[in-house]
mmCIF file of all heavy atoms in Angstrom:
data_model
loop_
_atom_site.group_PDB
_atom_site.id
_atom_site.type_symbol
_atom_site.label_atom_id
_atom_site.label_comp_id
_atom_site.label_asym_id
_atom_site.label_seq_id
_atom_site.Cartn_x
_atom_site.Cartn_y
_atom_site.Cartn_z
ATOM 1 N N LYS P 56 101.754 77.319 93.471
ATOM 2 C CA LYS P 56 102.812 78.333 93.542
ATOM 3 C C LYS P 56 103.481 78.247 94.924
ATOM 4 O O LYS P 56 102.847 77.936 95.902
ATOM 5 C CB LYS P 56 102.214 79.736 93.375
ATOM 6 C CG LYS P 56 103.159 80.857 93.318
ATOM 7 C CD LYS P 56 103.957 80.859 92.041
ATOM 8 C CE LYS P 56 104.900 82.074 91.987
ATOM 9 N NZ LYS P 56 105.930 81.931 91.025
ATOM 10 N N GLU P 57 104.802 78.538 94.949
ATOM 11 C CA GLU P 57 105.493 78.686 96.212
ATOM 12 C C GLU P 57 106.319 79.964 96.151
ATOM 13 O O GLU P 57 106.726 80.380 95.075
ATOM 14 C CB GLU P 57 106.366 77.461 96.538
ATOM 15 C CG GLU P 57 107.719 77.423 95.892
ATOM 16 C CD GLU P 57 107.739 76.752 94.549
ATOM 17 O OE1 GLU P 57 106.763 76.105 94.142
ATOM 18 O OE2 GLU P 57 108.749 76.906 93.865
ATOM 19 N N GLU P 58 106.502 80.572 97.306
ATOM 20 C CA GLU P 58 107.243 81.831 97.353
ATOM 21 C C GLU P 58 107.904 82.020 98.700
ATOM 22 O O GLU P 58 107.264 81.851 99.728
ATOM 23 C CB GLU P 58 106.294 82.996 97.051
ATOM 24 C CG GLU P 58 107.021 84.316 97.012
ATOM 25 C CD GLU P 58 106.117 85.445 96.544
ATOM 26 O OE1 GLU P 58 105.479 85.307 95.498
ATOM 27 O OE2 GLU P 58 106.106 86.477 97.242
ATOM 28 N N ASN P 59 109.158 82.389 98.674
ATOM 29 C CA ASN P 59 109.878 82.792 99.858
ATOM 30 C C ASN P 59 109.533 84.246 100.168
ATOM 31 O O ASN P 59 109.631 85.110 99.288
ATOM 32 C CB ASN P 59 111.390 82.663 99.712
ATOM 33 C CG ASN P 59 111.902 81.249 99.967
ATOM 34 O OD1 ASN P 59 111.327 80.551 100.771
ATOM 35 N ND2 ASN P 59 112.906 80.869 99.242
ATOM 36 N N VAL P 60 109.141 84.521 101.408
ATOM 37 C CA VAL P 60 108.851 85.904 101.834
ATOM 38 C C VAL P 60 110.045 86.296 102.709
ATOM 39 O O VAL P 60 110.248 85.781 103.798
ATOM 40 C CB VAL P 60 107.524 85.968 102.642
ATOM 41 C CG1 VAL P 60 107.291 87.394 103.141
ATOM 42 C CG2 VAL P 60 106.387 85.481 101.777
ATOM 43 N N LYS P 61 110.819 87.207 102.160
ATOM 44 C CA LYS P 61 112.100 87.578 102.785
ATOM 45 C C LYS P 61 111.894 88.734 103.786
ATOM 46 O O LYS P 61 112.499 89.776 103.666
ATOM 47 C CB LYS P 61 113.118 87.948 101.718
ATOM 48 C CG LYS P 61 113.443 86.785 100.838
ATOM 49 C CD LYS P 61 114.334 87.172 99.702
ATOM 50 C CE LYS P 61 114.525 85.935 98.809
ATOM 51 N NZ LYS P 61 115.190 86.237 97.579
ATOM 52 N N SER P 62 111.031 88.481 104.759
ATOM 53 C CA SER P 62 110.783 89.429 105.816
ATOM 54 C C SER P 62 111.967 89.399 106.784
ATOM 55 O O SER P 62 112.452 88.325 107.129
ATOM 56 C CB SER P 62 109.503 89.048 106.546
ATOM 57 O OG SER P 62 109.358 89.754 107.722
ATOM 58 N N LYS P 63 112.449 90.563 107.220
ATOM 59 C CA LYS P 63 113.627 90.606 108.080
ATOM 60 C C LYS P 63 113.435 89.846 109.398
ATOM 61 O O LYS P 63 114.277 89.062 109.818
ATOM 62 C CB LYS P 63 113.993 92.074 108.364
ATOM 63 C CG LYS P 63 115.421 92.269 108.777
ATOM 64 C CD LYS P 63 115.748 93.727 108.800
ATOM 65 C CE LYS P 63 117.242 93.898 108.742
ATOM 66 N NZ LYS P 63 117.665 95.259 108.677
ATOM 67 N N LEU P 64 112.307 90.049 110.062
ATOM 68 C CA LEU P 64 112.061 89.416 111.346
ATOM 69 C C LEU P 64 111.464 88.015 111.238
ATOM 70 O O LEU P 64 111.610 87.213 112.119
ATOM 71 C CB LEU P 64 111.157 90.299 112.225
ATOM 72 C CG LEU P 64 111.725 91.650 112.615
ATOM 73 C CD1 LEU P 64 110.675 92.467 113.356
ATOM 74 C CD2 LEU P 64 112.988 91.468 113.451
ATOM 75 N N ASP P 65 110.750 87.774 110.161
ATOM 76 C CA ASP P 65 109.989 86.529 110.052
ATOM 77 C C ASP P 65 110.032 85.940 108.643
ATOM 78 O O ASP P 65 108.988 85.852 107.972
ATOM 79 C CB ASP P 65 108.525 86.814 110.472
ATOM 80 C CG ASP P 65 107.667 85.568 110.482
ATOM 81 O OD1 ASP P 65 108.203 84.459 110.595
ATOM 82 O OD2 ASP P 65 106.443 85.708 110.349
ATOM 83 N N PRO P 66 111.225 85.547 108.150
ATOM 84 C CA PRO P 66 111.253 84.938 106.815
ATOM 85 C C PRO P 66 110.489 83.613 106.823
ATOM 86 O O PRO P 66 110.566 82.855 107.794
ATOM 87 C CB PRO P 66 112.735 84.749 106.536
ATOM 88 C CG PRO P 66 113.395 84.711 107.861
ATOM 89 C CD PRO P 66 112.523 85.567 108.787
ATOM 90 N N HIS P 67 109.732 83.369 105.757
ATOM 91 C CA HIS P 67 108.960 82.133 105.678
ATOM 92 C C HIS P 67 108.661 81.819 104.229
ATOM 93 O O HIS P 67 108.907 82.641 103.344
ATOM 94 C CB HIS P 67 107.665 82.223 106.512
ATOM 95 C CG HIS P 67 106.824 83.421 106.149
ATOM 96 N ND1 HIS P 67 107.073 84.693 106.609
ATOM 97 C CD2 HIS P 67 105.731 83.537 105.375
ATOM 98 C CE1 HIS P 67 106.162 85.531 106.148
ATOM 99 N NE2 HIS P 67 105.352 84.858 105.368
ATOM 100 N N THR P 68 108.145 80.637 104.013
ATOM 101 C CA THR P 68 107.760 80.202 102.663
ATOM 102 C C THR P 68 106.259 79.990 102.637
ATOM 103 O O THR P 68 105.705 79.356 103.539
ATOM 104 C CB THR P 68 108.494 78.910 102.285
ATOM 105 O OG1 THR P 68 109.909 79.158 102.309
ATOM 106 C CG2 THR P 68 108.120 78.458 100.886
ATOM 107 N N LEU P 69 105.609 80.511 101.608
ATOM 108 C CA LEU P 69 104.183 80.317 101.396
ATOM 109 C C LEU P 69 104.007 79.345 100.242
ATOM 110 O O LEU P 69 104.675 79.477 99.235
ATOM 111 C CB LEU P 69 103.489 81.625 101.072
ATOM 112 C CG LEU P 69 103.488 82.667 102.167
ATOM 113 C CD1 LEU P 69 102.994 84.003 101.632
ATOM 114 C CD2 LEU P 69 102.605 82.228 103.335
#
Side-chain angles (χ1 to χ4, degrees):
K56 184 72 177 161
E57 82 271 348
E58 183 172 309
N59 276 327
V60 178
K61 297 174 182 170
S62 168
K63 201 170 200 175
L64 295 176
D65 183 23
H67 54 280
T68 300
L69 295 169

